[in-house]
Amino acid sequence: MTKYLFVLTSSPKDFFCEQTLVAIASLRVHNPGAFVTLLTDDKTAATLTGKRAALKDAVDEFVALELDEKFTPMLRSRYLKTVMRNVIDGDFLYMDSDIAIVGDLSIPEDWKGGIYAVLDFHVKLHQAINRKKILRNAKMMGFSPILNDEIFNGGVMYAADTPEARKFFETWHELWLYCVSKNFPYDMASLAETNFKFGYITKKMPGEWNCQLAYGKKYIPNGKVFHFFGSRIIDTCGRKVPESMNVFLPKILRKSFYTDLKEIPVTVNADKTISINEYYDDVIAHAKDEFLYQTKHAGEFGADIIRSYAFAKSLGYVYKKLPFVLPLLSLIGKIL
């Protein structure tokens, strides 16, 4: 049995708990009967009460680790991610929380026994927009050159429960702690160095398994996991979003979709499926349709622009600082 693993570090002040709940709800729509594991820390676990307790009810296995109380939320999150293979038993598919599962995640037989991930930005390193930054970070940490021209995105990872995989994650954790000691708490450089030390053991998943939306347009039609990190979650600053803006801002990319969920009762059914209300259930079940809608109405080139980080950042700025521009965008949305 493969476990579907999520890692959570959260407090009532953020919306990561709600984001994880939405991700799990989408998983259960398309993968009924999936065994879901949540790995968290002691501080987060203590906050999963009241409405937030629905997240605990929604999983099949709940594991909370006691961590150094001085760790920041970011350090706690990275700590859990780099030790997850050695505290969770069984093969697992790990997924970040800023995702929507939109397809069948049955694990292919030929993955069994291995470690799999998708290339960062869906391209070889020499084609990546952040190539110089990656190489600079590796050099700064004294890490090896990236000889195979591949950097993997850690947002979706399959890891079999094998001695080699456990040693891989043990090394990743050690290298991440080294990075932390150098005031560089990020986990990508240490993951790349671990892969180098293990002879590039990580194998490539098809892009559909971690469709990084701003860069993976060709994977959207047959996508299985949509990863929002490159499209960002946009704060609409409490303003009502007209339907015509859906082409620019799918509902599942709105910050309010998650923050409003804090006050909405959530029902976890006997079969672990999640019911919220008609609006939420529909958005979660049909997340892929929203992105296909973008392509249909804005065209492939237009959709590329809309999904870019630059557009998301600009749209967020408009909501915050230039709301008088919104009627114009709404009109353009109607035309599209």
Side-chain angles (χ1 to χ4, degrees):
M1 176 188 69
T2 298
K3 298 179 178 180
Y4 296 88
L5 172 63
F6 295 87
V7 166
L8 176 67
T9 297
S10 176
S11 80
K13 294 180 180 180
D14 59 50
F15 57 89
F16 300 134
C17 175
E18 292 73 25
Q19 204 170 39
T20 304
L21 185 68
V22 168
I24 293 172
S26 68
L27 171 68
R28 295 206 180 278
V29 168
H30 298 281
N31 299 267
F35 188 97
V36 180
T37 298
L38 180 67
L39 174 62
T40 188
D41 64 277
D42 51 331
K43 282 189 175 181
T44 299
T47 72
L48 298 180
T49 59
K51 289 186 172 65
R52 287 167 64 88
L55 182 61
K56 291 179 68 174
D57 296 335
V59 304
D60 302 284
E61 180 181 33
F62 181 82
V63 180
L65 298 186
E66 184 174 344
L67 303 184
D68 188 331
E69 64 177 15
K70 296 179 182 178
F71 277 1
T72 64
M74 179 183 180
L75 290 177
R76 286 174 172 260
S77 174
R78 301 306 193 278
Y79 187 102
L80 293 172
K81 189 170 179 179
T82 55
V83 302
M84 58 188 180
R85 173 64 287 165
N86 291 297
V87 297
I88 302 298
D89 293 331
D91 300 350
F92 63 65
L93 182 72
Y94 162 79
M95 291 173 283
D96 280 352
S97 294
D98 58 335
I99 62 165
I101 289 91
V102 296
D104 177 16
L105 297 186
S106 300
I107 303 301
E109 278 299 319
D110 58 358
W111 289 14
K112 303 297 176 64
I115 300 172
Y116 281 78
V118 172
L119 291 179
D120 202 28
F121 299 127
H122 295 286
V123 295
K124 292 282 192 177
L125 177 58
H126 76 272
Q127 300 170 303
I129 59 175
N130 62 342
R131 175 181 177 275
K132 291 183 179 180
K133 181 179 179 181
I134 289 173
L135 295 176
R136 183 172 64 248
N137 290 341
K139 184 177 181 180
M140 179 176 66
M141 290 295 103
F143 289 162
S144 309
I146 300 165
L147 302 177
N148 70 337
D149 199 30
E150 291 180 349
I151 289 287
F152 289 95
N153 184 273
V156 178
M157 295 183 70
Y158 173 79
D161 192 351
T162 64
E164 187 173 40
R166 286 180 175 261
K167 185 62 178 176
F168 180 97
F169 274 77
E170 181 182 325
T171 302
W172 184 13
H173 182 63
E174 291 170 353
L175 289 172
W176 173 75
L177 288 175
Y178 164 76
C179 289
V180 171
S181 74
K182 298 294 184 181
N183 199 31
F184 187 77
Y186 309 103
D187 57 8
M188 287 284 288
S190 51
L191 175 59
E193 178 68 0
T194 304
N195 201 34
F196 168 80
K197 287 183 176 294
F198 279 74
Y200 300 116
I201 189 177
T202 306
K203 297 178 182 178
K204 286 185 287 187
M205 286 179 178
E208 288 83 0
W209 286 79
N210 181 4
C211 180
Q212 300 151 62
L213 284 170
Y215 313 98
K217 64 179 180 182
K218 69 179 181 180
Y219 301 111
I220 289 177
N222 298 310
K224 295 175 177 288
V225 179
F226 284 0
H227 192 175
F228 305 146
F229 81 99
S231 299
R232 313 300 170 181
I233 304 297
I234 297 174
D235 187 356
T236 60
C237 301
R239 295 185 177 87
K240 185 176 180 180
V241 182
E243 288 297 310
S244 58
M245 285 291 284
N246 286 348
V247 69
F248 300 124
L249 188 54
K251 299 177 184 71
I252 206 163
L253 289 186
R254 301 174 190 174
K255 184 177 179 181
S256 59
F257 189 75
Y258 304 98
T259 55
D260 289 353
L261 186 53
K262 291 175 178 291
E263 305 303 325
I264 300 173
V266 174
T267 300
V268 179
N269 303 307
D271 62 355
K272 294 290 186 178
T273 55
I274 297 168
S275 301
I276 304 173
N277 60 34
E278 185 177 358
Y279 172 77
Y280 273 83
D281 295 349
D282 182 68
V283 171
I284 290 168
H286 301 99
K288 182 186 289 190
D289 294 343
E290 297 203 48
F291 296 97
L292 294 175
Y293 176 87
Q294 286 184 321
T295 303
K296 179 180 178 180
H297 289 269
E300 288 197 4
F301 180 71
D304 283 349
I305 295 174
I306 291 167
R307 294 179 192 133
S308 70
Y309 172 61
F311 185 87
K313 189 173 182 179
S314 299
L315 187 56
Y317 182 82
V318 165
Y319 270 102
K320 187 175 183 179
K321 300 288 188 179
L322 305 172
F324 58 86
V325 177
L326 292 172
L328 175 60
L329 287 175
S330 180
L331 177 60
I332 295 173
K334 289 180 180 179
I335 294 172
L336 292 175

